[in-house]
């Protein structure tokens, strides 16, 4: 009987012809998702945004840049990585957007640039309007906190490539900065103070290691972990802190105080700090200068992860590192609550090059070095 029923279904489809819906793409669900997200997206729009939601491309009035002497555009693109697998497992989707904005927009702010607008992209196995709207709502909320307009995006349904519950997200943003105000290694000098800014947790990097540790240990995401004071799932899904707003305010309040900024993402603390220091210098950071949040110790110990692997994979509670003029460090520390002196920039005399924690040439950048002691 089952075989006969299947045969009848195949015969009916053959008689009706193959449609986009029968191939697994639901256009009406896509339209419904757009309707659900419209208000959240519109709330991010600044006066420079031209038109509304639903166009083939977003428009931004570039005459807003006319007062710049020599504007330089900064652009960045990124995703959230395998953290989305945990969001899917927990069926919580409104925090991933915060992760996406943090990963993309804060890579622009490190140049001293003001992010102007952003677009997002969601690929999924099946469009569930409420799920897509929750993801975009998170993107929009984070964009508003960063003062960035969400001017467009795309949702693509990929049946057969992704399972119905699976999705991935990516985004891109553009910002602007005066040419003579671009932050970078060329401004850094020996004696500069390294100031750490606290992370909210794991942020969005090293989740392949996190997921492997959890799987090998057989821990469930609803497991209550005393060190966290909440479940494992709640801890590992903590959204990435978005630094754009507070950092831009600091740069405006204290012009010239900050020389370069490192966004601590993939590769861990030392690899990312080394990228924003000049050749011939080493950023020496003291491990005892801050308290590492429990999540890193719990997961690291659970997986037996060596110290160097932890430091080269996770942020360990340090989300951003600022290289600051030595005589203005106190101003920066007062202006950014929770910040602390992480270390300093020294001349690289070669004395540290044989130490295991020494990192130079990370990410393909011929720049400075960094070392945790």
């Amino acid at each position: 009987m089952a075989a006969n029923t299947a045969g009848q279904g195949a015969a009916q489809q053959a008689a009706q012809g193959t449609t986009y819906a029968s191939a697994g793409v639901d256009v009406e669900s896509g339209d419904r998702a757009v309707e659900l997200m419209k208000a959240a997206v519109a709330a991010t729009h600044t006066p420079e945004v031209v038109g509304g939601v639903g166009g083939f491309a977003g428009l931004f009035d570039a005459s807003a840049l006319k007062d710049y002497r020599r504007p330089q555009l900064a652009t960045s693109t990124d995703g959230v990585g395998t953290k989305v697998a945990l969001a899917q497992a927990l069926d919580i989707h409104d925090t991933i957007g915060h992760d996406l904005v943090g990963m993309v927009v804060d890579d622009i702010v490190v140049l001293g640039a003001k992010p102007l607008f952003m677009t997002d992209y969601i690929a999924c196995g099946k469009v569930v309007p409420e799920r897509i709207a929750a993801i975009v709502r998170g993107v929009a909320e984070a964009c508003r906190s960063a003062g960035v307009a969400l001017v467009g995006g795309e949702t693509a349904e990929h049946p057969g490539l992704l399972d119905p519950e699976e999705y991935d997200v990516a985004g891109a943003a553009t910002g602007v900065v005066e040419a003579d105000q671009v932050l970078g290694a060329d401004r850094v000098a020996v004696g500069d103070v390294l100031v750490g800014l606290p992370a909210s947790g794991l942020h969005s990097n090293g989740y392949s290691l996190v997921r492997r540790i959890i799987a090998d240990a057989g821990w469930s995401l609803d497991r209550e972990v005393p060190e966290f004071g909440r479940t494992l799932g709640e801890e590992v899904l903590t959204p990435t802190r978005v630094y754009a707003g507070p950092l831009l305010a600091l740069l405006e309040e204290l012009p010239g105080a900050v020389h370069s900024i490192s966004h601590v993402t993939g590769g861990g603390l030392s690899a990312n700090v080394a990228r924003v220091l000049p050749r011939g210098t080493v950023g020496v950071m003291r491990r005892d200068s801050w308290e590492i949040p429990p999540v890193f110790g719990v997961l690291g110990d659970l997986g037996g992860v060596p110290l160097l692997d932890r430091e080269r994979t996770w942020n360990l509670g340090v989300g951003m590192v600022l290289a600051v003029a030595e005589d203005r460090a106190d101003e920066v520390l007062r202006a950014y609550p929770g910040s602390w002196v992480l270390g300093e920039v020294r001349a690289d005399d070669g004395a540290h090059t044989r130490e295991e924690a020494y990192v130079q040439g990370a990410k393909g950048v011929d720049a400075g070095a960094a070392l945790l002691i």
Side-chain angles (χ1 to χ4, degrees):
M1 178 65 71
N4 186 44
T5 301
Q8 289 174 351
Q12 289 174 354
Q13 179 172 316
Q16 295 171 355
T18 303
T19 65
Y20 209 12
S22 70
V25 177
D26 188 342
V27 176
E28 291 182 358
S29 290
D31 291 342
R32 172 65 177 155
V34 172
E35 287 300 319
L36 291 175
M37 69 178 73
K38 260 186 174 181
V41 174
T44 72
H45 287 184
T46 61
E48 293 80 19
V49 177
V50 180
V53 178
F56 285 96
L59 283 173
F60 189 89
D61 186 357
S63 67
L65 311 183
K66 65 182 183 299
D67 293 331
Y68 283 76
R69 300 183 309 277
R70 188 186 170 198
Q72 293 197 346
L73 296 180
T75 185
S76 176
T77 186
D78 209 337
V80 177
T82 62
K83 189 173 185 176
V84 297
L86 297 174
Q88 292 157 20
L90 291 164
D91 196 24
I92 297 173
H93 312 285
D94 59 350
T95 61
I96 285 296
H98 289 260
D99 294 297
L100 181 62
V101 173
M103 295 298 291
V104 173
V105 168
D106 285 335
D107 275 357
I108 287 175
V109 173
V110 299
L111 296 174
K114 173 180 171 53
L116 299 172
F117 53 83
M118 179 169 175
T119 57
D120 62 17
Y121 174 79
I122 304 170
C124 59
K126 178 180 175 59
V127 170
V128 178
E130 293 74 16
R131 182 192 301 154
I132 299 300
I135 296 169
V136 176
R137 184 169 63 250
V139 175
E141 290 171 354
C143 279
R144 287 188 68 186
S145 75
V148 182
L150 184 59
V151 298
E154 174 70 13
T155 300
E157 203 166 18
H158 292 166
L161 183 63
L162 296 170
D163 289 337
E165 301 303 314
E166 291 181 333
Y167 61 81
D168 197 9
V169 296
T174 298
V176 64
V177 60
E178 286 282 10
D180 60 3
Q181 294 178 11
V182 176
L183 302 182
D186 60 305
R187 293 176 176 258
V188 176
V190 171
D192 278 1
V193 175
L194 298 176
V195 173
L197 305 186
S200 58
L202 288 156
H203 284 185
S204 299
N205 299 103
Y207 272 81
S208 293
L209 177 58
V210 170
R211 291 167 54 244
R212 178 63 180 270
I213 291 169
I214 293 172
D216 287 351
W219 280 23
S220 64
L221 292 175
D222 61 1
R223 181 189 183 103
E224 293 285 344
V225 182
E227 293 90 340
F228 303 159
R230 54 181 174 176
T231 67
L232 173 63
E234 289 171 325
E235 181 68 31
V236 298
L237 209 60
T238 302
T240 301
R241 175 165 288 160
V242 180
Y243 296 90
L247 264 183
L248 289 171
L250 185 149
L251 294 176
E252 183 176 356
E253 178 186 347
L254 303 174
V258 178
H259 293 161
S260 72
I261 304 175
S262 173
H263 188 193
V264 184
T265 55
L269 188 53
S270 292
N272 284 290
V273 169
R275 298 165 69 184
V276 299
L277 302 180
R279 182 81 172 176
T281 67
V282 56
V284 178
M285 298 169 285
R286 288 178 288 279
R287 293 184 176 109
D288 63 359
S289 68
W290 83 100
E291 186 175 345
I292 296 175
V295 65
F296 301 102
V298 169
L299 291 176
D301 292 347
L302 183 65
V305 183
L307 176 61
L308 288 179
D309 266 51
R310 301 183 197 195
E311 293 177 343
R312 291 176 179 176
T313 305
W314 296 324
N315 64 57
L316 297 184
V318 187
M320 289 270 190
V321 178
L322 282 54
V324 177
E326 184 177 11
D327 60 352
R328 304 195 65 184
D330 287 343
E331 293 179 76
V332 171
L333 293 169
R334 286 194 297 268
Y336 200 104
S339 62
W340 73 97
V341 174
L342 179 64
E344 64 279 333
V345 179
R346 302 179 185 174
D348 193 355
D349 58 8
H352 301 294
T353 56
R354 294 185 180 180
E355 296 187 40
E356 282 189 302
Y358 179 90
V359 176
Q360 197 277 326
K363 305 283 186 175
V365 181
D366 185 21
L371 174 68
L372 281 157
I373 61 172

